[in-house]
Amino acid sequence: DTEVTQTPKHLVMGMTNKKSLKCEQHMGHRAMYWYKQKAKKPPELMFVYSYEKLSINESVPSRFSPECPNSSLLNLHLHALQPEDSALYLCASSLSTTDLSYGYTFGSGTRLTVV
Amino acid sequence: AQSVSQHNHHVILSEAASLELGCNYSYGGTVNLFWYVQYPGQHLQLLLKYFSGDPLVKGIKGFEAEFIKSKFSFNLRKPSVQWSDTAEYFCAVFNDYKLSFGAGTTVTVRA
């Protein structure tokens, strides 16, 4: 299995809702990442997990809450989002945060719309 | 922190034309550089990477890139493009344990 799987593919949520994005990989990668990508813009890093521990938080607002339950799973919990948070949320993984032999493997993303 | 810049925002060319996309990095130390492609509606895919060694790097789908240290550049090339090469292309640099992307170049190939 050489994929990063993200669910759901599309999500529409209200500003008072709580929802979660899920990311899964079975490549034995020990580093996982959340990126945010607005239309026609490059992906921007949000969080880095290394060996299931949060190692980098790029000053992301607390309405985004990451969680890494085990080495294969990465969640992003969403609460009280704003319309400007609408974007494509990408998950990625790599062998580790220092072994970039194969680069990052990206999922197809969750297209989030906040109404 | 290192960063990369891509100066071509949108490139339009015909099939069989040659493609070259510019990428410059900001720092003169050790660099780990990447090119990713994002086809419409699809996930980011790694085209090629440079860590050290031979400055001419060959990747997938007929792409190659040349690392020129004196010019701080890592330009992507393809001798003859196809309609299926229409996509967004991102240069990226690995620094401080994270991958950071350039602004991207939209490539449109006309049949």
Side-chain angles (χ1 to χ4, degrees), chain B residues 7-82:
Chain B
H7 304 294
N8 311 106
H9 297 295
H10 194 180
V11 172
I12 302 172
L13 57 166
S14 300
E15 278 192 309
S18 63
L19 173 69
E20 180 161 0
L21 302 182
C23 173
N24 289 97
Y25 62 94
S26 64
Y27 173 67
T30 301
V31 287
N32 296 313
L33 294 163
F34 303 79
W35 275 99
Y36 276 84
V37 62
Q38 191 171 30
Y39 298 103
Q42 295 191 27
H43 62 276
L44 283 156
Q45 298 177 38
L46 179 65
L47 280 176
L48 46 80
K49 61 187 184 294
Y50 174 79
F51 293 162
S52 64
D54 189 344
L56 186 61
V57 180
K58 293 196 183 297
I60 62 171
K61 303 179 188 286
F63 285 92
E64 65 178 29
E66 186 174 11
F67 174 71
I68 303 179
K69 190 173 182 179
S70 60
K71 295 184 178 181
F72 296 89
S73 70
F74 187 57
N75 292 353
L76 181 72
R77 300 194 292 248
K78 186 170 184 178
S80 176
V81 295
Q82 301 173 322

Side-chain angles (χ1 to χ4, degrees), chain A residues 33 35 37 40-45 48 56 58 88 90 97-109, chain B residues 6 32 34 36 38 41-46 49 51 88 90 94-104 106:
Chain A
Y33 312 85
Y35 279 81
Q37 186 178 23
K40 299 296 183 184
K41 296 291 186 183
E44 295 179 350
L45 183 68
V48 178
I56 296 177
E58 291 286 275
L88 181 68
L90 297 168
T97 55
T98 55
D99 187 344
L100 274 291
S101 305
Y102 300 97
Y104 287 15
T105 301
F106 282 86
S108 298
Chain B
Q6 295 178 246
N32 296 313
F34 303 79
Y36 276 84
Q38 191 171 30
Q42 295 191 27
H43 62 276
L44 283 156
Q45 298 177 38
L46 179 65
K49 61 187 184 294
F51 293 162
E88 190 82 13
F90 293 99
F94 181 71
N95 178 240
D96 288 340
Y97 304 103
K98 57 192 179 185
L99 196 63
S100 300
F101 292 86
T106 303

Side-chain angles (χ1 to χ4, degrees), chain A residues 21-59:
Chain A
L21 310 185
K22 182 179 173 181
C23 173
E24 195 167 1
Q25 57 87 15
H26 297 286
M27 296 177 281
H29 289 180
R30 303 313 300 266
M32 296 185 77
Y33 312 85
W34 280 114
Y35 279 81
K36 174 182 177 179
Q37 186 178 23
K38 303 281 272 185
K40 299 296 183 184
K41 296 291 186 183
E44 295 179 350
L45 183 68
M46 299 174 72
F47 302 104
V48 178
Y49 270 83
S50 178
Y51 289 85
E52 301 160 48
K53 291 189 181 345
L54 182 65
S55 62
I56 296 177
N57 176 341
E58 291 286 275
S59 302

Side-chain angles (χ1 to χ4, degrees), chain A:
Chain A
D1 187 351
T2 58
E3 289 186 346
V4 173
T5 303
Q6 290 188 244
T7 54
K9 293 195 183 305
H10 300 274
L11 178 64
V12 179
M13 62 184 290
M15 289 188 284
T16 59
N17 291 159
K18 287 185 182 180
K19 295 287 184 184
S20 296
L21 310 185
K22 182 179 173 181
C23 173
E24 195 167 1
Q25 57 87 15
H26 297 286
M27 296 177 281
H29 289 180
R30 303 313 300 266
M32 296 185 77
Y33 312 85
W34 280 114
Y35 279 81
K36 174 182 177 179
Q37 186 178 23
K38 303 281 272 185
K40 299 296 183 184
K41 296 291 186 183
E44 295 179 350
L45 183 68
M46 299 174 72
F47 302 104
V48 178
Y49 270 83
S50 178
Y51 289 85
E52 301 160 48
K53 291 189 181 345
L54 182 65
S55 62
I56 296 177
N57 176 341
E58 291 286 275
S59 302
V60 179
S62 61
R63 57 186 184 268
F64 295 92
S65 175
E67 178 197 20
C68 190
N70 60 56
S71 61
S72 299
L73 280 175
L74 185 66
N75 298 322
L76 185 63
H77 302 299
L78 314 173
H79 177 230
L81 295 194
Q82 303 296 311
E84 58 264 30
D85 296 320
S86 298
L88 181 68
Y89 287 84
L90 297 168
C91 176
S93 68
S94 64
L95 285 168
S96 72
T97 55
T98 55
D99 187 344
L100 274 291
S101 305
Y102 300 97
Y104 287 15
T105 301
F106 282 86
S108 298
T110 294
R111 177 79 57 190
L112 174 68
T113 303
V114 182
V115 296

